[in-house]
Amino acid sequence: MPVPAPMTPSAIVSVLRAAGCVFAEDEAGLILATARTPEEAAGMVDRRAAGLPLEQVLGWARFHGLRIAVEPGVFVPRRRTEFLAGQALATAPDAGVVVDLCCGSGALGAALAHALPGAEVHAADIDPAAVRCARRNLAPFGGRAHQGDLYDALPPGLRGRVALLTANVPYVPTAEVPLLPAEARDHEPLIALDGGADGLDVLRRVAAGASEWLAPGGRLLTETSERQAPAAVRALADAGLTTRLAVDEDLYAHVVIGVRPAPEGEGAAR
């Protein structure tokens, strides 16, 4: 049933709490701060109560200090992926050429572009809705988003020049997709969630092509789960990268970092 407008903050909290929103007070505050009219607020409350992810209701998500535009049907950036962004900047603080594969909304690419002024930043995704969203988020920083399947989407001139390559690949095993929370399962694209039988199909493809696109000394960083981490590390190592695992226990975040070895006497990629 549609929520009547206007509504008091306490009434909004009651509706959201009844719908199962654990952080109803916080969500009510965000809705009221975002909505331009009481009618718009009522519509947002109605959509949230119906199960739409909060970020898609608001039209934005907070990520690494930025407000990232999020459209319906586009993967919502997760807070744990901020650890991937932080590790990317820590391992390649002077990267001059950056690529973000499986970019979704472009949150990761935008965060890197914001933190690396002057860098050439490219993002890519196979989903046209994601690419449209990513272009909005990258535009303020001069970044570009391309549509296509992984490396096929990239300008050929980037081959062998990439200093920093991030890939927040889909890594949910196919059989576990039905077990995801309804917000993800029902409102985010399957292609952004399903990583194949063991969840590592896309990661292996990214790893296999990385050395062709990375500059000598270039870094690849990808997110995975605790259970999958050993196999993810092996996948990057099998692709010829020097590999290590970074973990943030608080965020329950696991990032595999692979470096393309540089010839002796040659400096790190920029």
Side-chain angles (χ1 to χ4, degrees), residues 10 39 42 48 52 55 69 71 128 142 168 181 212 252:
S10 60
E39 291 75 20
R48 180 60 179 139
L52 197 69
E55 295 82 0
E71 300 176 3
N168 188 19
E212 181 181 351
Y252 198 59

Side-chain angles (χ1 to χ4, degrees), residues 154-172:
L154 299 178
L158 292 176
R159 190 176 278 107
R161 295 180 51 229
V162 179
L164 179 58
L165 172 62
T166 59
N168 188 19
V169 301
Y171 57 86
V172 180

Side-chain angles (χ1 to χ4, degrees), residues 16-95:
L16 295 178
R17 187 176 290 127
C21 300
V22 177
F23 302 104
E25 291 84 357
D26 294 338
E27 294 191 10
L30 289 168
I31 287 172
L32 289 170
T34 301
R36 293 161 294 186
T37 67
E39 291 75 20
E40 186 175 26
M44 293 168 75
V45 173
D46 190 42
R47 292 192 297 276
R48 180 60 179 139
L52 197 69
L54 175 66
E55 295 82 0
Q56 292 183 8
V57 169
L58 297 174
W60 60 271
R62 184 67 63 183
F63 183 83
H64 213 258
L66 299 177
R67 182 179 283 205
I68 299 296
V70 177
E71 300 176 3
V74 174
F75 182 81
V76 174
R78 305 322 196 228
R79 181 168 176 259
R80 65 175 172 270
T81 305
E82 293 182 347
F83 181 62
L84 173 55
Q87 287 294 303
L89 294 170
T91 194
D94 301 314

Side-chain angles (χ1 to χ4, degrees), residues 11 23 53 57 62 106 109 124 136 150 155 159 177 202 209 212 247 255-256 263:
F23 302 104
V57 169
R62 184 67 63 183
R136 289 177 57 193
L150 299 180
R159 190 176 278 107
V177 171
V202 182
E212 181 181 351
V247 178
V255 171
V256 183

Side-chain angles (χ1 to χ4, degrees), residues 135-259:
R135 284 174 178 154
R136 289 177 57 193
N137 288 314
L138 287 166
F141 310 107
R144 298 170 57 194
H146 313 275
Q147 183 183 342
D149 185 17
L150 299 180
Y151 300 105
D152 290 346
L154 299 178
L158 292 176
R159 190 176 278 107
R161 295 180 51 229
V162 179
L164 179 58
L165 172 62
T166 59
N168 188 19
V169 301
Y171 57 86
V172 180
T174 301
E176 297 178 19
V177 171
L179 307 178
L180 290 173
E183 289 184 5
R185 184 183 67 241
D186 297 339
H187 298 285
E188 294 182 328
L190 180 63
I191 199 168
L193 304 170
D194 189 342
D198 67 352
L200 297 177
D201 284 0
V202 182
L203 183 147
R204 291 190 185 94
R205 292 179 58 211
V206 170
S211 290
E212 181 181 351
W213 290 85
L214 288 172
R219 271 79 169 159
L220 164 64
L221 293 92
T222 185
E223 185 176 288
T224 189
S225 70
E226 179 180 24
R227 182 183 62 188
Q228 296 163 316
V233 167
R234 287 196 300 274
L236 268 64
D238 289 346
L241 304 179
T242 302
T243 308
R244 67 181 176 89
L245 178 68
V247 178
D248 185 306
E249 299 289 355
D250 293 333
L251 292 175
Y252 198 59
H254 299 74
V255 171
V256 183
I257 303 169
V259 181

